[in-house]
Amino acid sequence: MPDPTTQSNYLAIASQHVDLVWELDWTKKAITGHATHSAIVNEDGVQEFIVDTLFLDIHKVEVEGESAPFTVGNHHEVMGSPLRISLKQPQSAGTKLSIRIVYETTKDCTALQWLDKEQTAGRLFPYLFSQCQPIHARSLVPLQDSPSVKITWAASVTSVLPVLLSAIRVSPPSTGPAHDGKEIGKESVVYTYKQPVPIPSYLIAIASGNVRYKPFETVPGKDWTTGVWAEPEVIDAAHWEFCEDTPKFMIEAEKLAIPYKFGVYEMVVLPPSFPYGGMENACLTFLTPTLLSGDRALVDVVAHELQHSWFGNGVTQADSSHFWLNEGWTTYMERMLLRVLHGQEERDFSFLMDFKSLQDSLKQYEDRPKYQRLVIDFEYGEDPDDAYSKIPYEKGSNFIYYLERSLGGPEVFLPYVKDYVSTYIGKSINTFQWKDHLFSYFKQHNPSLVADVLDKIDWNAWFYGEGLKLPEEYAFDTTLAEEAFALAARWDTSRLVADPSTVGFKKSDVEAFNTNQKIVFLERLQVLAPLPKAHIDLLGDVYGFRSTLNVELRFRYYELALASPAGPSIKEEVAEWVVDEEFKSGGVKGRMKFCRPTFRGLKKVDEGLAKKTFEGSRERFHPIARRLIQKDLGLI
Ligand code: BES
Ligand code: ZN
């Protein structure tokens, strides 16, 4: 089955390398320039090269240096328009062609958000960033937008603001003066980058704004470097949050898999409208500023994005139907890192923490059970963004954890993991190729496990099972969650008392908790029957959940409050908070994990308010978030 989300003819002729020459036009809010593909013909008789585009203006096409006829097909709502380029005469297999497309982006390009200066921490310069996964790369570059196609690329980008790309900086040096010593915002600098490792198109990314670099300590004997980019106002906090753990994660991750292939592992902390927690763009992970909680409690997102370097960026899903191979494996490995660095209890705590998000996602899709599956057979043109949820992450990682336990634990399983990565690194695979390798590995290394374990697993239940339950559920170690559970139980029984201030709840109840324990506490309350209004009010005040700048906590408190009798009295406050642009209070809550459930919660209390709030502030959200919130609110 070819990738159902692309209109390109990548099987007949495949792009192998792309050279990008871009100029950032900050006034017009457009990227202008050209993309030159080096493509190889795979079948005799190929007469056209078809690439995906989404809201791009195509100016001109050249094949082998000569102007070539092209057509831009009808716009498909999800997949965009196929750009069909004629190749003059039928080509024979093995032929290599150079195809240049001159184009520019438009205001509708779904990958890009151009922020005004007021939407940044420094408020002095505008900002641009992209989000290409799953199928938005086609609105940044005309290309064959399928993860089954892996390409190397290089770029030269001219801009009056520093430019970051998901590749290796060639010039000017990252550690040199910002913007090559030129005046930021006024003078142009040409930034050049190269990506010599073949990657899927969804890992192409750009960020540009007033950013600075701060490296982490180098690790002796390693040829990779790590560090963080952010606006000057945020760089020290960003450096502190990640400097301890990132190099450690790298060292252990290499031991678990194979050496890191991408040369540099940098990250950039983006403005608050970034729609995800993290995005594993090659060489340059993109991060939400909501990770800067000041206690390093949310660094597991870095562990996750780093693990994608092997699971996703190295071994890649063939298409969106096998998204769980990227995310389920990465989540499993992220937690394996926790086990190596902090012990088994931390690993189980992490599984436990996300179990509620799995249940929430499964419930959310009760009307579309297809999206409760691990392997989702997408129809041609179906939108993978509609299926995005925690299910591939949590069902997937629970599945692999179950395999690990069934096969005899990490000692038996980890050597297999290494073999899996080494076998498929650089390739794009589907679920069946993954399963074939699993069987052949154990057949070779421990044949009794094939008959005793693998043959007995209910593969169909895991791959295609629907409903709210996993085929096998596991009782995780709850040691690290006990105190949070106990405090939640105290609040639960306090509902019998009309005036909760007489119960003796104190700020010190949670003082020894880190962010993750507080999250577990709030989530435990969320699954219990709603508390009375007086209790919800006290909870917000006594522990500071109603005023904290920690978005993970404030968001969960608001979710809890909206679903309780306190909903009508707090709805206005929540509405203001979610679209708030004030940087001091965390800015817009653009991360979809926060804004989507908040809007859905508001809708349940006051649909008119939810719609009005969104519509008055839609430009603050990234185009991808904008579209999904509109769908959630029934606006489209
Ligand atoms: N690759 C994902 C983000 C993504 C997936 C973007 C699909 C668009 C389409 C990234 O690695 C991710 O999983 N981010 C999580 C972090 C987490 C699970 C630790 C997020 O953003 O919440
Ligand atoms: Zn991920």
Side-chain angles (χ1 to χ4, degrees):
M1 249 283 278
D3 184 338
T5 66
T6 174
Q7 301 183 77
S8 71
N9 61 341
Y10 69 94
L11 293 172
I13 168 171
S15 180
Q16 293 183 309
H17 178 87
V18 185
D19 280 307
L20 300 170
V21 176
W22 284 345
E23 184 144 353
L24 304 191
D25 186 333
W26 291 95
T27 318
K28 218 162 111 185
K29 298 189 172 176
I31 300 178
T32 63
H34 52 80
T36 309
H37 289 270
S38 309
I40 180 151
V41 176
N42 287 327
E43 289 169 7
D44 284 335
V46 174
Q47 297 204 40
E48 46 179 15
F49 179 56
I50 312 174
V51 294
D52 296 294
T53 73
L54 182 60
F55 299 120
L56 297 178
D57 268 350
I58 309 297
H59 297 320
K60 186 178 168 41
V61 178
E62 286 169 7
V63 177
E64 294 292 309
E66 276 181 44
S67 182
F70 67 91
T71 60
V72 178
N74 288 342
H75 172 80
H76 178 284
E77 210 212 324
V78 174
M79 294 191 289
S81 304
L83 166 61
R84 297 197 149 83
I85 300 165
S86 300
L87 300 178
K88 264 192 185 162
Q89 68 262 8
Q91 303 290 321
S92 46
T95 308
K96 293 198 172 180
L97 293 171
S98 164
I99 302 146
R100 171 168 299 180
I101 304 162
V102 184
Y103 74 103
E104 67 183 270
T105 62
T106 65
K107 63 172 182 21
D108 294 320
C109 288
T110 53
L112 297 177
Q113 191 179 16
W114 296 83
L115 299 171
D116 294 330
K117 55 185 194 298
E118 292 76 21
Q119 293 171 288
T120 66
R123 306 178 69 91
L124 289 174
F125 302 100
Y127 204 105
L128 165 70
F129 72 87
S130 65
Q131 167 58 43
C132 286
Q133 199 184 11
I135 53 168
H136 302 277
R138 62 192 71 179
S139 77
L140 176 61
V141 189
L143 45 60
Q144 298 179 313
D145 198 6
S146 166
S148 285
V149 180
K150 286 195 164 180
I151 49 171
T152 55
W153 59 286
S156 128
V157 184
T158 306
S159 170
V160 293
L161 293 174
V163 173
L164 305 178
L165 299 176
S166 53
I168 294 175
R169 176 81 75 93
V170 178
S171 70
S174 307
T175 45
H179 206 46
D180 209 20
K182 301 270 173 14
E183 190 179 352
I184 295 183
K186 290 257 158 56
E187 293 176 275
S188 281
V189 171
V190 180
Y191 288 85
T192 58
Y193 278 84
K194 61 169 185 192
Q195 181 49 271
V197 179
I199 49 109
S201 53
Y202 71 79
L203 293 177
I204 297 177
I206 179 167
S208 183
N210 184 29
V211 290
R212 299 289 183 279
Y213 183 59
K214 208 167 167 180
F216 301 142
E217 261 178 44
T218 51
V219 180
K222 296 290 183 187
D223 52 12
W224 39 257
T225 53
T226 61
V228 63
W229 296 86
E231 286 185 71
E233 294 75 12
V234 188
I235 188 72
D236 288 333
H239 187 268
W240 184 87
E241 203 80 35
F242 307 123
C243 67
E244 276 274 315
D245 297 281
T246 307
K248 286 190 203 151
F249 288 158
M250 266 299 246
I251 292 166
E252 296 305 328
E254 283 193 316
K255 288 191 213 153
L256 290 172
I258 59 173
Y260 184 72
K261 286 203 173 221
F262 292 92
V264 301
Y265 183 75
E266 294 175 0
M267 45 195 113
V268 53
V269 176
L270 291 148
S273 64
F274 180 58
Y276 290 95
M279 174 65 216
E280 67 275 23
N281 297 315
C283 303
L284 182 72
T285 282
F286 280 25
L287 296 173
T288 168
T290 62
L291 300 184
L292 306 180
S293 56
D295 61 0
R296 295 179 175 156
L298 306 176
V299 289
D300 47 356
V301 178
V302 174
H304 178 97
E305 304 314 332
L306 177 63
Q307 279 299 341
H308 273 305
S309 308
W310 294 271
F311 303 88
N313 306 10
V315 181
T316 306
Q317 61 180 54
D319 60 67
S320 287
S321 298
H322 307 280
F323 180 56
W324 84 275
L325 283 180
N326 276 16
E327 297 301 342
W329 264 99
T330 291
T331 303
Y332 170 81
M333 291 304 288
E334 163 203 340
R335 292 173 186 165
M336 186 54 84
L337 267 188
L338 288 183
R339 181 179 185 272
V340 173
L341 288 166
H342 305 294
Q344 174 65 23
E345 286 175 357
E346 286 273 358
R347 167 155 88 147
D348 269 22
F349 183 63
S350 184
F351 272 102
L352 190 76
M353 270 205 27
D354 264 313
F355 212 76
K356 175 168 178 299
S357 61
L358 171 63
Q359 285 166 329
D360 288 349
S361 297
L362 290 168
K363 273 198 207 106
Q364 194 198 326
Y365 284 126
E366 266 185 307
D367 58 340
R368 280 174 288 174
K370 175 178 169 180
Y371 294 161
Q372 294 173 328
R373 296 179 174 203
L374 196 57
V375 181
I376 300 169
D377 290 317
F378 282 100
E379 310 262 327
Y380 183 68
E382 196 173 340
D383 191 349
D385 272 334
D386 284 341
Y388 182 81
S389 82
K390 277 285 175 178
I391 297 165
Y393 295 76
E394 297 304 324
K395 205 185 247 200
S397 58
N398 274 277
F399 177 35
I400 300 165
Y401 193 8
Y402 161 70
L403 291 175
E404 177 211 295
R405 290 192 310 271
S406 309
L407 288 162
E411 295 67 32
V412 181
F413 201 70
L414 285 174
Y416 147 73
V417 174
K418 256 190 204 279
D419 200 88
Y420 168 50
V421 178
S422 315
T423 303
Y424 288 126
I425 192 98
K427 303 205 166 66
S428 304
I429 62 162
N430 63 32
T431 303
F432 314 105
Q433 289 166 289
W434 162 72
K435 188 180 159 206
D436 283 348
H437 169 266
L438 176 74
F439 272 78
S440 68
Y441 174 87
F442 281 102
K443 203 166 171 184
Q444 193 189 338
H445 292 90
N446 206 332
S448 65
L449 287 174
V450 176
D452 297 347
V453 179
L454 295 181
D455 282 341
K456 292 185 179 145
I457 283 167
D458 191 346
W459 299 94
N460 280 339
W462 280 103
F463 292 161
Y464 306 114
E466 298 174 354
L468 302 182
K469 287 242 162 293
L470 298 186
E472 298 278 339
E473 286 189 2
Y474 180 60
F476 301 112
D477 183 325
T478 55
T479 316
L480 293 171
E482 292 302 350
E483 283 173 69
F485 287 170
L487 183 61
R490 273 180 66 206
W491 279 88
D492 191 30
T493 44
S494 81
R495 72 175 68 244
L496 302 169
V497 183
D499 179 1
S501 65
T502 61
V503 179
F505 292 116
K506 295 185 295 301
K507 200 172 159 209
S508 58
D509 297 344
V510 294
E511 249 160 23
F513 286 9
N514 69 13
T515 296
N516 283 336
Q517 287 169 301
K518 290 179 191 167
I519 291 174
V520 169
F521 164 66
L522 284 167
E523 291 194 335
R524 188 75 163 194
L525 290 180
Q526 286 176 344
V527 295
L528 301 170
L531 290 169
K533 178 174 179 311
H535 294 64
I536 293 289
D537 289 343
L538 180 70
L539 177 72
D541 293 338
V542 73
Y543 302 149
F545 291 146
R546 196 167 173 170
S547 52
T548 177
L549 292 182
N550 185 320
V551 187
E552 293 279 355
L553 301 178
R554 182 112 149 226
F555 156 70
R556 285 183 178 79
Y557 172 73
Y558 281 151
E559 259 194 319
L560 184 69
L562 285 176
S564 80
S569 66
I570 207 167
K571 65 184 185 188
E572 305 280 352
E573 177 181 325
V574 179
E576 251 172 59
W577 173 81
V578 72
V579 298
D580 184 12
E581 257 187 322
E582 207 33 63
F583 209 85
K584 286 198 284 308
S585 44
V588 68
K589 307 307 170 301
R591 182 176 175 188
M592 292 197 281
K593 171 181 169 185
F594 303 131
C595 59
R596 290 185 66 191
T598 302
F599 277 113
R600 288 198 295 261
L602 274 175
K603 182 177 174 222
K604 283 195 190 134
V605 180
D606 183 342
E607 188 163 344
L609 174 68
K611 289 181 174 167
K612 193 179 83 193
T613 305
F614 171 71
E615 285 186 326
S617 315
R618 42 175 296 142
E619 294 302 318
R620 296 180 194 178
F621 294 92
H622 187 276
I624 296 172
R626 221 179 277 163
R627 185 140 180 277
L628 292 169
I629 296 167
Q630 282 173 311
K631 285 193 180 182
D632 290 341
L633 294 180
L635 291 166
I636 48 172

